[in-house]
Amino acid sequence: MNEWEKWIPVESIPARLHKESLMDDGDSLRIIVSDATEGQKYSFLFDGLLLSYRNSDEGSRLRMLEHLDRYYAHLEYGNWTLFKMKNSSYLEWFAQESLERYEEMGEVEHYVFLTSNDVIEVLSADPPAITKMV
C-alpha cells in the first residue's frame, strides 16, 4: 500500500520546488511551483479528468513523513518534490466513495507534490500539462 516513486516529468526540473499557488477554477486545477534558488516557475495544469485533490499543511502529515523516513529514505524525499503513488490508499478511498464509478475510465494516477509547506495530492486520469514559465 502507498508505494512512492520519484516523478521526473520534465528533464532538468529542480529537485526542490515551493508552492506559489493552487487554483481551482471549477474546470481545472493549476499548481504553480518555483525553484527557491533560481526563481524559475513551473505550471502544472490538470484540465482533463480530474477526480479529486487535497492539500494539507506538511506539518499535519507527520505519520506520512514518518512512513517516508522509515521505508523511502532512499528516495531522498526531503530533497525532492514530485512523486507518483502506486497502490494508493487515497485512490482506494476515492474508488469506494464513488462506488467505483470511474473504474472503466482507464488508469488513474496519484500525483504528490511534497513541498516544504504543503502536501498536494491529485487523482487524475490525464497527466498535467507542464509549462516552464518565464
Side-chain angles (χ1 to χ4, degrees):
M1 199 59 119
N2 288 338
E3 298 171 26
W4 290 72
E5 58 184 43
K6 277 186 180 180
W7 174 40
I8 307 171
V10 176
E11 198 171 306
S12 74
I13 195 162
R16 288 302 293 160
L17 298 164
H18 303 279
K19 182 189 85 174
E20 292 280 326
S21 65
L22 185 147
M23 296 169 281
D24 177 348
D25 69 3
D27 293 325
S28 64
L29 176 71
R30 182 182 305 270
I31 301 167
I32 298 177
V33 292
S34 66
D35 173 21
T37 56
E38 301 291 324
Q40 183 63 57
K41 293 183 181 183
Y42 295 84
S43 169
F44 291 77
L45 177 64
F46 293 90
D47 66 350
L49 182 56
L50 173 67
L51 301 175
S52 181
Y53 73 92
R54 62 186 177 189
N55 181 20
S56 305
D57 181 273
E58 178 260 349
S60 65
R61 299 294 303 271
L62 298 176
R63 186 172 72 161
M64 179 204 69
L65 293 173
E66 183 179 276
H67 177 81
L68 280 171
D69 194 46
R70 179 176 289 161
Y71 299 105
Y72 291 96
H74 65 280
L75 292 181
E76 299 179 13
Y77 67 88
N79 295 318
W80 193 256
T81 300
L82 304 172
F83 296 90
K84 284 187 180 179
M85 187 90 66
K86 300 296 179 196
N87 297 316
S88 161
S89 59
Y90 180 30
L91 185 53
E92 183 180 306
W93 168 85
F94 181 82
Q96 291 171 357
E97 286 296 308
S98 65
L99 298 176
E100 299 183 6
R101 176 179 173 202
Y102 299 98
E103 191 168 289
E104 295 179 16
M105 295 289 205
E107 185 175 351
V108 174
E109 294 280 0
H110 179 174
Y111 300 91
V112 182
F113 296 76
L114 184 59
T115 72
S116 57
N117 295 316
D118 296 90
V119 179
I120 304 166
E121 299 177 76
V122 179
L123 300 180
S124 179
D126 299 309
I130 303 167
T131 306
K132 186 175 182 178
M133 303 167 69
V134 281

